[in-house]
Amino acid sequence: MDYLQYAFFRNAVIGILIISVAAAMIGTYIITRRMVSITGGITHACFGGLGLGYYLGISPVFMAAVFAVTSSMGVEWIASRYRIREDSAIAVIWSLGMALGILFVFLTPGYVPELNGFLFGNILTIGTSDLWAFAAYTVVLVTFFALFRRTIIACAFDSDFAQVSGLPVRFINYAMTVLVAVCIVLTIRLVGIMLLLSMVTVPVLIAETWSRRFISIMLAAIVISIVSSLGGLLVATIIDVPCSAIIVLLQVALYFVARIGKDISLKRPIR
């Protein structure tokens, strides 16, 4: 508890609480729609924005956001315009983002000291401005879910049926894709590019082990994400290791525990 007297540690705790809610909500949509690969594609496309930001001397986070939104919209447009699978379009965006990132980082004069923070994450560097950005985004996300909950669920489970039913499938798909991209950019500061995918998906996979309802999975994923993230921060502080790695290790451990518990419960004889 002594660490709470430090502003940077309080910011880390608040940041974890806020982004855990957003990541669990986005992750539930991603898992339900079976578009986990787009998360990895956008995550690696962000690297191109980071490199361009360093090269031009402007905010790397802003340029990463531009690349993330552009790449996510590009995937939706390519998939619908040329009628190809989303994973094929994602492969193109993924490769382009990484290649541009490597090129711009190489062309940037001098050493790029903050690059490791974006690659591997450093939650203790979260500032007040980051917290306001996290909070504003989460409010927008929760509001959007509240207004279009039924439509989002219908589009996530069966977009073809939703389109035949007259629902605004294209609007929901584009809006959710942009929200996914923004969540990825904000979460980069939490766990870094390398571990972001686990933060967004693993809590949902744990919740999905015991539930099949969209809202139940989302609420359970929020709780799991908060508990594992706070636990990871506490353990990392005590043993002095990177927080992002401990968070993901805890979440993966919880996933295996959930799977084993599920298997045991299914094999238990009925009395």
Side-chain angles (χ1 to χ4, degrees):
M1 299 299 294
D2 292 339
Y3 285 102
L4 291 176
Q5 64 181 316
Y6 301 107
F8 71 89
F9 192 82
R10 292 196 300 270
N11 289 343
V13 172
I14 297 172
I16 278 182
L17 293 175
I18 297 174
I19 207 63
S20 293
V21 175
M25 295 179 66
I26 288 296
T28 305
Y29 174 80
I30 290 172
I31 296 295
T32 304
R33 197 182 164 190
R34 298 180 181 179
M35 54 183 294
V36 175
S37 57
I38 195 175
T39 307
I42 297 174
T43 301
H44 288 77
C46 287
F47 188 65
L50 294 174
L52 181 60
Y54 284 121
Y55 178 72
L56 297 178
I58 58 180
S59 172
V61 177
F62 172 76
M63 290 306 302
V66 172
F67 264 63
V69 173
T70 303
S71 61
S72 62
M73 299 288 283
V75 168
E76 285 288 340
W77 182 79
I78 292 173
S80 60
R81 175 67 175 81
Y82 296 101
R83 298 185 180 277
I84 63 174
R85 297 201 312 265
E86 284 187 348
D87 57 347
S88 301
I90 291 166
V92 176
I93 298 298
W94 186 316
S95 304
L96 178 63
M98 290 299 294
L100 291 176
I102 294 172
L103 177 63
F104 286 125
V105 169
F106 178 80
L107 294 176
T108 301
Y111 175 66
V112 183
E114 297 180 358
L115 188 60
N116 285 337
F118 288 108
L119 290 176
F120 304 107
N122 188 357
I123 193 173
L124 296 179
T125 62
I126 291 179
T128 304
S129 59
D130 296 316
L131 293 179
W132 282 111
F134 290 164
Y137 168 78
T138 305
V139 169
V140 172
L141 179 64
V142 172
T143 303
F144 187 80
F145 261 86
L147 294 175
F148 300 99
R149 176 175 62 88
R150 295 182 180 275
T151 307
I152 291 172
I153 295 174
C155 294
F157 279 104
D158 193 341
S159 59
D160 293 332
F161 178 77
Q163 190 167 8
V164 172
S165 301
L167 297 176
V169 176
R170 178 168 294 183
F171 166 72
I172 294 296
N173 287 344
Y174 274 106
M176 287 303 301
T177 302
V178 171
L179 289 172
V180 169
V182 176
C183 180
I184 289 171
V185 173
L186 295 178
T187 315
I188 285 177
R189 293 294 301 274
L190 178 64
V191 294
I193 290 177
M194 300 301 180
L195 300 177
L196 172 62
L197 189 60
S198 298
M199 182 71 184
V200 175
T201 57
V202 175
V204 182
L205 295 176
I206 297 171
E208 197 179 39
T209 306
W210 299 99
S211 178
R212 287 293 181 267
R213 296 181 62 85
F214 187 92
I215 299 300
S216 299
I217 292 174
M218 185 174 66
L219 294 177
I222 290 174
V223 175
I224 294 169
S225 182
I226 290 175
V227 172
S228 59
S229 298
L230 289 178
L233 178 62
L234 177 61
V235 173
T237 303
I238 294 174
I239 64 178
D240 193 21
V241 295
C243 174
S244 55
I246 299 299
I247 291 175
V248 174
L249 288 175
L250 282 177
Q251 291 177 348
V252 172
L254 289 174
Y255 173 75
F256 282 112
V257 169
R259 293 303 311 176
I260 293 172
K262 183 69 172 180
D263 293 341
I264 293 175
S265 66
L266 292 176
K267 294 178 181 178
R268 182 177 301 170
I270 301 177
R271 297 179 180 179

